Amino acid sequence: RWTPDVTGLIFSNIENQTINLWKQNLSGGAPVKLTDFKSELIYDFTFTRNGKRLLLSRGNTTCNVVMIKNFR
């Protein structure tokens, strides 16, 4: 996504089953890490209207499977 001031892009990167957000300035240079989470995934993010705060939702994905045999 674009930064609120439209000078860069925010992108996610996954390492060790954890997602963090990075900012790449359009003027160049190395990307800057915005978050430093050690667990969980980022599902969605946005900036406040004034662009001063980053809001995000995080959590884990859980999957369960149940096999039923000979059900009558």
Side-chain angles (χ1 to χ4, degrees):
R1 295 189 185 154
W2 292 106
T3 57
D5 60 5
V6 197
T7 62
L9 292 172
I10 306 299
F11 65 94
S12 60
N13 185 37
I14 187 165
E15 296 178 68
N16 301 323
Q17 297 181 337
T18 303
I19 295 177
N20 279 292
L21 297 177
W22 294 73
K23 177 184 176 184
Q24 177 64 61
N25 286 322
L26 296 180
S27 59
V32 176
K33 194 173 187 180
L34 297 178
T35 61
D36 190 27
F37 298 120
K38 306 294 185 208
S39 64
E40 300 182 332
L41 304 172
I42 296 174
Y43 294 117
D44 197 13
F45 67 94
T46 191
F47 287 91
T48 56
R49 288 186 185 189
N50 64 7
K52 294 185 182 206
R53 292 184 185 245
L54 176 66
L55 308 172
L56 54 87
S57 60
R58 301 186 322 128
N60 290 315
T61 301
T62 304
C63 299
N64 294 320
V65 175
V66 177
M67 183 169 72
I68 300 173
K69 287 183 164 183
N70 300 322
F71 182 74
R72 297 176 193 238

